[in-house]
Structures are given as C-alpha cells and as structure tokens.
Amino acid sequence: MIDLTPPMHENWSDELKAKAAAIRLIALDVDGIMSDGRLYFSATGDELKAFNILDGLGLKQLMSAGITVAVITGRRSPLTEKRMTDLGIPHLMQGREDKKVALQELVSTMNISPEQIAYMGDDLPDLPALQYAGLGITVPNGYWLVRQSADYCTSVQGGYGAVREACDLILWAQNRLQATLQPYLNGAS
C-alpha cells in the first residue's frame, strides 16, 4: 500500500491546514515562483523562461478539484501567456505592478472573501497581495521580508516544484489529494 501523505505534512500546523482548507482561489506570481526568478535572454534578445512540469500538473489537479487558479505578474511575456494557456489557467493578469489591486479586482467578480484566497509570491511587489490573502505562501529563495510575512514557506525553491508543494498542501487540507492522485495509482501495489 502506498502512503499518500505528503512528507512535508509534519511541518503543516493545524492553523495552516485550517487556512488551506478554506481556499477557493490561488493566485500566483510568475518570476521566482513558477520559474526560478532568473531572466534568460538569447543572443538576439529573445526572453526565455523555464517552467517546472511538476507545478503544471499540480495546478491542473487544483483546477480539477474546483480551485480557481490565477496568475498575476508585473512583467508581460508571451512565454507566460503560452504556458498559462497550455495549462488552461483562466485568469492571467500581466503587467500588473500593484498585485493587491489586481487580486481585489479579480475576486470582486467571484464572490469570495480574502480568507478563501491563497497568494504565492516571492518579492516586495507581492507583499500586499500576500498579506491580503487568507493564506500567504512564499519560497525559501524569496525576499526575507516576504518569508517573514508568509503563513508558509515551501521546502523547495521557486521554479523547482514549490507551486506543486502549495497545491498538495491545499488539496491535502481539503481531503482531496488522494482523489487527485488515485488515477495515477491504478495498478500500483
């Protein structure tokens, strides 16, 4: 029998699990969260980004479980737009420096409260949105003040599966993780 309890669950307090259990929307920054935060440019000046496949499947599992996913980023990037389209993420807000205002605009159309929002960011432009949300999540390579303000800091760095860890936290707290994993376990013993 396979144990479907995430190994990092021992670091999840009852308060954190209660906050994660209430989440109906997760909003994410891109650079430093969905990517490693470094900017890559080709010799011709084209921007390149690397996205972690683990994060993508985690976001798809969240959406399958009824959690809305949004991306709010200060930069504009055709690569980000392509990746979010490929993942089926319904809400992409690019070029938004005031991420809290962007988040508030988004949720004003959704009939949810701040306690039902998770926000994941890594730097100062993310801080107001992270503090507004009921569950603020960051990464170990995030800015120290953001780490200090977050409810949870993932065990892995941004761009290396941190979003997947946040997805697992939410799904586990809502007793939905096993159901999202089960289709992959058929035939496993």
Side-chain angles (χ1 to χ4, degrees), residues 21-181:
I23 299 306
R24 292 179 47 203
L25 163 73
I26 185 168
L28 308 144
D29 180 29
V30 175
D31 296 321
I33 297 297
M34 298 183 80
S35 74
D36 65 10
R38 297 185 288 176
L39 299 177
Y40 300 88
F41 295 96
S42 71
T44 59
D46 295 324
E47 181 182 7
L48 307 171
K49 285 186 188 288
F51 294 100
N52 193 300
I53 201 77
L54 293 172
D55 294 342
L57 184 55
L59 291 170
K60 285 183 172 188
Q61 290 173 311
L62 271 185
M63 290 185 289
S64 291
I67 307 295
T68 302
V69 176
V71 172
I72 303 172
T73 178
R75 297 175 47 84
R76 290 188 178 276
S77 166
L79 298 172
T80 297
E81 185 172 351
K82 170 138 181 46
R83 180 65 175 148
M84 299 316 127
T85 299
D86 289 350
L87 291 174
I89 292 176
H91 305 284
L92 172 60
M93 303 172 89
Q94 295 197 80
R96 299 301 301 261
E97 290 298 322
D98 191 332
K99 296 178 181 184
K100 178 182 175 185
V101 169
L103 183 59
Q104 290 172 320
E105 288 171 9
L106 176 65
V107 300
S108 71
T109 66
M110 300 179 77
N111 193 31
I112 63 173
S113 67
E115 294 77 25
Q116 296 171 311
I117 302 166
Y119 184 86
M120 191 168 182
D122 68 318
D123 208 350
L124 291 175
D126 300 302
L127 190 56
L130 185 133
Q131 292 172 329
Y132 171 75
L135 176 60
I137 305 170
T138 194
V139 291
N141 54 318
Y143 188 64
W144 65 268
L145 187 57
V146 176
R147 289 193 322 266
Q148 182 178 316
S149 300
D151 295 299
Y152 182 66
C153 182
T154 61
S155 62
V156 294
Q157 294 191 36
Y160 293 91
V163 172
R164 180 63 163 276
E165 184 176 327
C167 294
D168 282 354
L169 164 63
I170 293 167
L171 291 168
W172 189 74
Q174 295 184 6
N175 296 315
R176 297 177 177 183
L177 183 60
Q178 184 171 351
T180 64
L181 298 176

